[in-house]
Amino acid sequence: MSRIGLKTIEVPDSVTVTKNGDNITVKGPKGELTRYFDPKITFKQEDGKINFSRSNENDKALHGTERANLASMVEGVVDGYKKTLKLIGVGYRATAQGNKLTLNVGYSHPVVMTAPEGVSVKATSATDIEVEGISKQNVGQFAAEIRDVRPPEPYKGKGIRYTNEYVRRKEGKTGK
């Protein structure tokens, strides 16, 4: 039994959910998201609540996944998503201008990254970056791409990390 798939999604009054073929569109105060949903999973919308059901018992994982995707879409158009990253290292800094992010993280050249459509990036300070948007997938993907430019290393702890990320430190070489 899919426990996540059986949970009910509460839809606020400011959000509309419409189905067009196999695509579901969610419109809210922050924007609009459209996503393909598998036809094996059906949903019923009644009185501001959405329930999911599956056609057979082989689709348990898909049942929970589709329900979680729609719940993320509803939360995104109401509140949005935000990931914050921190640069740790001497001389490491970030600047954002429009949808372009420039990172100086110890390479011989600055790394310039362009945020995808629907995602905004801000450098709140020289070492803090905020990635915001309504799509949980796009925000997480772009934050992961920023982190991959210089992932944190375990010896000195230098690199780009999420603000709540713990980097396990290792002891260096010991001499005789």
Side-chain angles (χ1 to χ4, degrees):
M1 168 175 28
S2 172
R3 292 190 175 108
I4 299 291
L6 294 176
K7 286 185 177 179
T8 301
I9 299 174
E10 300 285 334
V11 181
D13 294 335
S14 61
V15 176
T16 59
V17 179
T18 56
K19 184 170 184 171
N20 184 11
D22 290 338
N23 293 324
I24 295 179
T25 303
V26 180
K27 291 181 188 174
K30 290 204 175 231
E32 176 181 334
L33 291 172
T34 302
R35 185 182 183 104
Y36 168 81
F37 277 80
D38 200 298
K40 296 177 194 172
I41 308 300
T42 58
F43 83 99
K44 276 192 250 174
Q45 185 175 3
E46 298 172 342
D47 301 328
K49 295 181 180 180
I50 297 177
N51 291 312
F52 283 85
S53 60
R54 60 182 177 266
S55 56
N56 63 21
E57 288 300 309
N58 295 332
D59 299 326
K60 289 179 187 177
L62 185 62
H63 185 201
T65 301
E66 298 292 32
R67 185 255 173 221
N69 286 339
L70 186 64
S72 294
M73 288 169 67
V74 170
E75 185 180 339
V77 297
V78 172
D79 299 324
Y81 289 99
K82 178 167 74 169
K83 293 253 185 189
T84 55
L85 297 109
K86 189 158 197 63
L87 280 66
I88 297 177
V90 176
Y92 286 15
R93 64 184 182 279
T95 56
Q97 197 169 36
N99 67 343
K100 295 223 185 272
L101 176 70
T102 305
L103 300 169
N104 294 321
V105 286
Y107 294 123
S108 62
H109 59 284
V111 178
V112 179
M113 303 181 79
T114 304
E117 189 176 326
V119 175
S120 67
V121 63
K122 287 187 260 181
T124 55
S125 72
T127 59
D128 293 330
I129 303 167
E130 284 186 359
V131 181
E132 294 183 67
I134 60 172
S135 172
K136 186 175 189 178
Q137 180 178 351
N138 292 346
V139 169
Q141 179 65 38
F142 189 60
E145 289 171 7
I146 293 171
R147 186 182 177 277
D148 282 345
V149 170
R150 180 70 85 170
E153 55 96 12
Y155 295 102
K156 292 183 181 178
K158 292 168 41 168
I160 303 172
R161 64 175 80 168
Y162 299 110
T163 53
N164 58 355
E165 181 179 4
Y166 172 74
V167 177
R168 192 165 159 219
R169 302 291 296 272
K170 291 183 179 178
E171 190 176 325
K173 289 184 180 179
T174 57
K176 287 188 177 185

